Amino acid sequence: MIHPATRLKELETRARRRFGQNFLVSTEAVDRIVSAAGLTPQDHALEIGPGLGVLTERIRQTGADLRCIEIDRDLAAALRELWPDLVLIEADAMHVDLDATCPGPGWKVIANLPYNVATPLLLRFLARPDIFSTMVLMFQREVGERIQAGPSHPSRGSLSVQVQARARVRPVLSLPPGAFHPAPKVHSVVLGFELLAEPDFGGVSARVFDRVVRMGFQHRRKTLLNSLGSGLMRGDAQAACDRAGIDSRRRAETLDLPEWRRLAAAVEAGRVASAAADGPPESEL
Ligand code: SAM
């Protein structure tokens, strides 16, 4: 594997901070990331941010059908020169049309992305289990901890619950700053995600579920009653906790996934009941 510093020199360019470019220097890390996706020649793979192409080269060796999305025009040009047959979309992965880019189900995603893009992209892609089945993504270590944190873990937050409701998550690899060029200031972790084909949100929509979870975690050190009470009427918040069979004096971080499902369903049931009690709008009478 050519060292990224050497390759950048060849291309007469340098790592761009605005695109969060920290290139992998370790062959072992590249192998472990790609093998975590379990690619076969029958698979469709999407790589986001191929950069200088170290993961790309390894993915190509698996024989999987590969598409790549790269935002940096110069690196995209260099990749095209290296592999004229590579299907490469020059775009921002946060804005590409996912249906057009990845037609059909079962796509496997591999990405070492800038830390500020990794989390929004994770949430965007987790919303599409009809397209994606597996993802192997790099995060800043602390974000990785938050994503994996179970009930009562100090890092447990709304991101933990939102992700765990949609996918099985497993750690793949931890990497020190020296595994990249240039070295970032933080440690990194690679996580694997198996998307649930039909996530269980307790019978409510994903939007309602996420809203209740975010409301619950709004004030971390407060009780559920106080956190939910700032988004709902206090009486409604207490009634929702009662209906869900959850002590309203508990804190959001102590709830497990089944409890979040019950709470989301209870909040929604309360909202539906109070809308019915108000009667239909006058125009419908
Ligand atoms: N995959 C290479 C590696 O592991 O060495 C490069 C990783 S580097 C951390 C991130 C790559 O993602 C860069 O090539 C960067 O230009 C690209 N990138 C950054 N933001 C992006 C976005 N929003 N959409 C697509 N690519 C992006």
Side-chain angles (χ1 to χ4, degrees):
M1 179 172 144
I2 306 175
H3 193 281
T6 311
R7 181 70 179 135
L8 287 167
K9 214 169 183 179
E10 267 175 22
L11 297 173
E12 296 178 353
T13 185
R14 41 174 69 206
R16 296 200 165 107
R17 202 181 298 171
R18 105 184 121 103
F19 293 142
Q21 291 176 350
N22 302 97
F23 302 101
L24 278 165
V25 298
S26 148
T27 311
E28 193 204 331
V30 168
D31 285 345
R32 287 179 64 184
I33 292 168
V34 175
S35 67
L39 292 171
T40 70
Q42 283 71 47
D43 280 318
H44 297 295
L46 176 68
E47 189 195 358
I48 308 168
L52 296 170
V54 285
L55 290 166
T56 323
E57 181 170 25
R58 188 71 195 78
I59 298 169
R60 282 167 64 87
Q61 288 164 1
T62 68
D65 161 50
L66 172 65
R67 293 183 186 181
C68 296
I69 305 174
E70 172 57 61
I71 202 169
D72 184 318
R73 191 192 309 168
D74 295 338
L75 295 187
L79 288 167
R80 282 201 191 97
E81 202 171 300
L82 196 59
W83 296 302
D85 63 328
L86 185 70
V87 180
L88 180 64
I89 299 148
E90 200 182 300
D92 181 337
M94 282 307 290
H95 299 293
V96 289
D97 177 343
L98 295 179
D99 293 288
T101 308
C102 303
W107 284 75
K108 295 183 171 180
V109 179
I110 295 183
N112 168 18
L113 279 171
Y115 301 120
N116 61 333
V117 179
T119 305
L121 184 124
L122 168 68
L123 292 174
R124 180 171 190 230
F125 281 39
L126 282 180
R128 297 303 306 270
D130 54 327
I131 298 180
F132 304 110
S133 62
T134 301
M135 303 204 281
V136 181
L137 306 177
M138 179 94 63
F139 297 92
Q140 182 177 336
R141 180 169 64 187
E142 292 72 15
V143 176
E145 277 170 13
R146 222 179 302 150
I147 289 171
Q148 295 178 90
S152 297
H153 188 284
S155 302
R156 180 90 159 165
S158 57
L159 182 64
S160 331
V161 179
Q162 285 175 267
V163 173
Q164 291 165 25
R166 292 165 166 88
R168 274 188 295 278
V169 189
R170 72 196 151 89
V172 171
L173 179 65
S174 296
L175 290 167
F180 303 88
H181 170 85
K185 290 199 174 67
V186 296
H187 285 250
S188 305
V189 65
V190 178
L191 300 180
F193 302 84
E194 298 301 326
L195 277 72
L196 303 174
E198 291 183 21
D200 176 2
F201 298 115
V204 301
S205 67
R207 198 176 54 81
V208 168
F209 180 84
D210 288 346
R211 204 170 63 84
V212 172
V213 172
R214 279 199 301 269
M215 214 158 52
F217 278 103
Q218 212 168 5
H219 305 288
R220 281 193 64 80
R221 264 163 265 290
K222 287 192 181 175
T223 62
L224 269 181
L225 181 61
N226 282 329
S227 291
L228 294 177
S230 57
L232 302 169
M233 303 285 283
R234 202 174 167 82
D236 293 345
Q238 182 63 55
C241 291
D242 291 347
R243 204 177 290 126
I246 294 167
D247 186 337
S248 66
R249 293 167 298 181
R250 287 173 60 188
R251 292 173 186 203
E253 56 269 30
T254 68
L255 269 60
D256 63 18
L257 204 47
E259 289 175 319
W260 279 112
R261 292 187 188 112
R262 293 210 307 273
L263 190 59
V267 169
E268 178 67 356
R271 200 189 61 77
V272 171
S274 73
D278 289 344
E282 268 178 31
S283 59
E284 288 180 21
L285 285 174

